[in-house]
Amino acid sequence: MLKTEKVLHLKTQRGRTVRAVREHYLREDVICGSPVCGICAREGKLLSEELTHYVVPDCQILQQYQEVFEFLDLRGIIIMQTAYQAVQHHRGRRQSKKLVSLLRDARHDCVLFPNEFQHHAYIPREMGESILDWQTRCIYNSCVWYYQHCQGKIPVVMVTEDESVVKKYSTETQGVYVISFQSYLETFWPELKGALELYKSLSESCQQQKIDSLEKNGKEYQEHLPLQVLEAGIKSGRFKQGILNVNKHRSQTEAFVRFLGLGDKDTDLHSDILIHGTKSRNRAVHGDLVVVELFPKSEWKGRTGALCENETDDKLMDTQPDVMPTGRVVGVLQRNWRDYVVTFPSKEESQTQGKNAQKILVTPWDYRIPRIRISTLQAETLQDFRVVVRIDSWESTSLYPNGHFVRVLGRIGDLEAEIATILVENSVNINPFSEAQLAEMPTNTAESPWQVMPEEGVRLDLRETHLVFSIDPKGCEDVDDTLSIRVLPSGYLELGVHIADVTHFVQPNTYTDIEAQSRATTYYLADRRYDMLPAILSADLCSLLGGMDRYAVSVIWELDSGTYEIRRVWYGRTIIRSSYKLSYEVAQQLLDGDLEPLNTDPELRPLSEDPNRLEQLLWAVDKLTEIASIIRSRRDKRGALELEGVEVRIQLGDKHSIDDLVPKQPLQVHETIAECMILANHWVAKKIWESFPQQALLRLHPPPRQEFFHELKECAMARGFSIDTRSNKALADSLDQANDPSDPLVNRLLRMMATQAMSNAQYFSTGSCREDEFYHYGLALDKYTHFTSPIRRYADIVVHRLLLAAVNCGPKDQLIGNKELEELCWHINERNRVSLLWYCQRRENLYSGLSSIYTTLIPCWL
């Protein structure tokens, strides 16, 4: 190993330049990822052995045309570390994550080569050399090393868009070719017409942008401040940074910036910053990480007042007392540009946009995004189609951002095209699981049935001692949880919650684990779902089906038979066999004493001939309901909220048409199951935090902002009620008292408005927050997590690993640290938010963490 040094010149807060020297280690045993070299160990992801050449994009190609490399037809791609870091620095988190996913995906024939750590591939930057020239030279030198390392067995092609680079290096080394990207596509992949058309669209777009900048004499927007000025302003407290959120109902006039931090000199701001109008937004789009300069307090506006520019300030203050901090965007720290689904203008609209037929303004499906200018000759052809475009730039001289065509999704109104639109807009991956991922799965066929293994003797076997059963929605295939209740010889009660042991089948850092982490959740739509795990797990071996031996992770409490106080708790791995798979409706009938399901449910018919087993099941359902009621009443006394939501179930026709919307009927057994799951989540949260206080994954629900209760208080006051929102307990008591006997809907509507004021629950790492911030506002619990649905939530898989390590049933050395867990929580929160957006039809209860297969009409931000 050789140690070298990198010299950096950094600026301090006071503007002084400091020379920093960083150690840089070089080594010769860096794995190349090629199977033909015969030198490196064949570890990790390898390129295909059937390739005729390798292709290496330079920094500019990878940054500008990354979507081209997402085509599965392109093979043998080597991403140099130098180009990868350029994407990280210049294209932001989203593009970096897409590139990481591309490299990890076993279906894509591409690898990452850490050329800056290979002794002979790396070359230092020369004095006075530009960063782009050094990157190009470093990548070319790495290509030469790669060709020589493979002993000349396979040529290496470096693609670039810089003609001077082509002239300089094209004939320098035999076996290493440097050509333009367009020439490469035309020569080696002529069948990729879509990719070639994409390239042409990119070229036309770049040329049109240059023309636009020459035609514009004035500027539509102010220039963004330099990065050094923005950073200094944030540190001094003059500027604020946060994520721009455009109001979906007033996208042209109203946006808000959610704080990421407060300056030292101004700590009295406790609400979002209002950004009024597109001019103040200054070329920032929804989701961008922006820097904001506050206006003087005399210019602050309220949410409603922001629309009333013709009114005087005095009148505005009288009609809108709840003014908000108001400001303007002065810079963008990180762009949130992604793929956008758009529609093309009609022929008449195209004519009004200008004489240049190649220059078209397309309208994004997400109306929080401004119209995008692209260059294309197919505008009339694509008028009736959903099309994906990507933003390239937004000059200060242009009213609209510039972008390019990516692909066509389908005709407007076609079901599959509309579904594809939802998925693209929410960045949902629906690719089938790869062969590498499926190869890790166990088999369960008639010829080779899966069985409980003898070496699993460390598990507690509950098959012969416990009556285990599940209660789920009708047609549920992914049964995560089961329950048990029995009387112990000592007279105490034993309550058990048994959850599918997904971690037995999904080991850390396997292909399946990486894919599940990327998806983070199962996505449910009205007529389909996209699983987080392969079907062999989600619908079979991990689903706790009736009469099947299954692995589980259990939480078992010993309760006092009179007060139901918890005396002790046990955690561990178990083997269970669920006796009954009940639906909510059937369980409610049994609870009410209606035995009709014994005649209609094939699974329950044998009970009509076995009174003892029937009595045992009836007692278990009744006792569970009684215990759950007591547990719920204790949480109510601590301030747990009972809020309202409108949930419906969709009835589909033969051709996936929506025939009817059936309101969900609330049942007592719904609360029974919810309360048991909440209890398990709470006790698991306490256990993993006690064992791993700096790296436990918990879930918090922060108190709502008081300004969000404004409409609730006004509506309640209009009916003669007063709502106290100082705490969750005060809010719960106020809602209970706001009851009009002559109109029962009043209380229900007030609870719905309270629901709308709630903030979103979020996952977090305990090492990143103080203990007093762990509190779950809606549930009135000091600690809470998600443990009960590992089939469809990756957060639950992480929690299972933490719990098993805490009780010495799993390895501790494979647990992730606080920093990595914090990043994982950010990703899961973002994916969880996406799963609730727009038409994604599965509702997660933001307060208990439970879900049903019912569709919700409640907005996703509840």
Side-chain angles (χ1 to χ4, degrees), residues 323-364:
V323 295
M324 298 178 61
T326 309
R328 64 184 182 92
V329 175
V330 294
V332 179
L333 295 180
Q334 182 173 307
R335 289 291 189 182
N336 189 45
W337 293 345
R338 54 173 175 82
D339 289 348
Y340 298 102
V341 180
V342 302
T343 55
F344 277 68
S346 63
K347 186 175 181 180
E348 294 77 14
E349 292 173 333
S350 299
Q351 292 175 352
T352 63
Q353 290 186 12
K355 298 180 179 180
N356 190 348
Q358 297 182 4
K359 181 179 173 182
I360 298 295
L361 285 175
V362 294
T363 304

Side-chain angles (χ1 to χ4, degrees), residues 30-32 78-81 111-115 118 121 145-146:
V30 177
I31 298 177
C32 67
I78 301 174
I79 306 296
M80 296 295 176
Q81 175 191 353
V111 296
L112 174 67
F113 176 60
N115 64 308
Q118 214 293 328
W145 176 89
Y146 217 99

